[in-house]
Amino acid sequence: MVFKRLLGSPGVGGPSVDTVLEPGPVRPGGTLAGQVRLVGGDTAFDVEQVALELVARVRDGEDGGRGVAVPFERFAIGGGFRLDEGEARTVPFGVKLPWETPVTELDGRELDVRLGVRTELAVAGTQAPEAPEAPEAPEADNDPDPGLDPLGVGPLPAQEAILGAFRQLGYGLRSAGLEHGRIGGTGQRLPFHQEMGLTPAPSYADRVEEIELTFLTHPGGIDVVLEADKRGAGNAGGDDTGHDALSRFTVGHDDARDWATEVDGWVRELVEHREAYGSDSAYGHGGPHSSGPGLG
């Protein structure tokens, strides 16, 4: 007997694998549902396991801007059956996304965030065919890497309300990429986090270059991490040492607040804290976080 792990369609003679996701975006912490459709190859196989792996394309300083594919969750959804020659079989699934899964779309608009689902088939068989060597192909622009099924994720209601408040106050969405690393002092679980770069509202345009927003979601609510990139940071003669002010606030999934007033207070506290204490009291990613009144 030989044991092989097959990704997608392994080539001539082997079983084919087609994963179909239910249409529409899923929300963080929600259920990703669909089915894996298998068709047997030229010989029978004992399928030991059918598994799904979630993959994200994450920015890396050495990748030339394209990002690297990072697996961040894996689910075993079936196995322990024999797939006969030419047999068609369907394996349905419903798996829960991690709460920290990044958002890929807002208000029907796709963000520059690429998530995908990789399907793995672990089989044992007496004549398992070797997958043929295939020439390297350029990666599709909308997939983390070839052979993945694109995964769409929409915002939770609280995330949507907070982003709507920023928009109402005059902030604009500049970017929404994924960054390697964890934010210190938080309960972050994934090896990356989503940073949304916001252009400042007119009232802060002369004091802040950009506001970076990160949602760290968990079953009990959402930690909202705000980072202020001070205008003039890094310029010759500026008073900044290269660190950004950073604060964390916590909201519940079902909170009903005057979000515009709430968000404006967060930003005001963040900026005033920065200006009052300077960069010596600011913490970047990986360091401790401020813990004054109103902070999570």
Side-chain angles (χ1 to χ4, degrees), residues 238-279:
D239 61 356
D240 187 75
T241 61
H243 297 286
D244 295 333
L246 188 148
S247 296
R248 178 164 57 97
F249 308 85
T250 300
V251 303
H253 289 297
D254 300 319
D255 283 4
R257 309 186 187 185
D258 179 346
W259 288 110
T261 300
E262 191 85 10
V263 166
D264 188 56
W266 292 347
V267 176
R268 184 173 61 255
E269 180 177 325
L270 175 69
V271 174
E272 290 178 353
H273 175 80
R274 171 59 180 268
E275 293 177 343
Y277 296 99
S279 58

Side-chain angles (χ1 to χ4, degrees), residues 21 30 32 51-57 69-75 93 95-98 101-102 114-120 144 148-149 151 153 190 192:
L21 306 178
L32 174 66
L52 303 177
E53 189 172 54
L54 305 183
V55 181
R57 180 160 290 284
V70 177
F72 64 96
E73 188 61 279
R74 192 173 186 277
F75 309 95
F93 62 84
V95 297
K96 187 173 182 178
L97 293 185
T101 300
R114 303 296 177 242
L115 305 180
V117 180
R118 173 185 292 136
T119 305
E120 296 184 352
L148 273 72
D149 296 286
L151 172 61
V153 180
L190 297 185
F192 57 83

Side-chain angles (χ1 to χ4, degrees), residues 58-100:
V58 181
R59 288 194 297 234
D60 188 299
E62 300 178 356
D63 59 20
R66 298 188 62 196
V68 295
V70 177
F72 64 96
E73 188 61 279
R74 192 173 186 277
F75 309 95
I77 62 169
F81 59 85
R82 188 172 183 82
L83 186 66
D84 290 326
E85 178 182 348
E87 177 188 359
R89 181 185 287 258
T90 298
V91 181
F93 62 84
V95 297
K96 187 173 182 178
L97 293 185
W99 281 99
E100 291 179 17

Side-chain angles (χ1 to χ4, degrees), residues 158-246:
Q159 292 174 317
E160 200 165 23
I162 292 169
L163 289 167
F166 272 107
R167 184 168 57 249
Q168 179 183 341
L169 292 168
Y171 295 83
L173 181 62
R174 175 180 289 168
S175 62
L178 306 184
E179 299 284 347
H180 273 294
R182 290 180 169 84
I183 300 177
T186 70
Q188 181 183 342
R189 295 180 178 274
L190 297 185
F192 57 83
H193 55 276
Q194 184 171 24
E195 282 187 355
M196 296 186 180
L198 306 176
T199 57
S203 56
Y204 292 104
D206 61 337
R207 302 159 70 186
V208 176
E209 179 72 26
E210 183 178 71
I211 297 290
E212 291 181 349
L213 165 66
T214 295
F215 292 118
L216 295 179
T217 308
H218 47 86
I222 303 173
D223 290 342
V224 183
V225 181
L226 296 180
E227 188 170 1
D229 181 5
K230 186 176 181 181
R231 181 166 292 281
N235 291 342
D239 61 356
D240 187 75
T241 61
H243 297 286
D244 295 333
L246 188 148

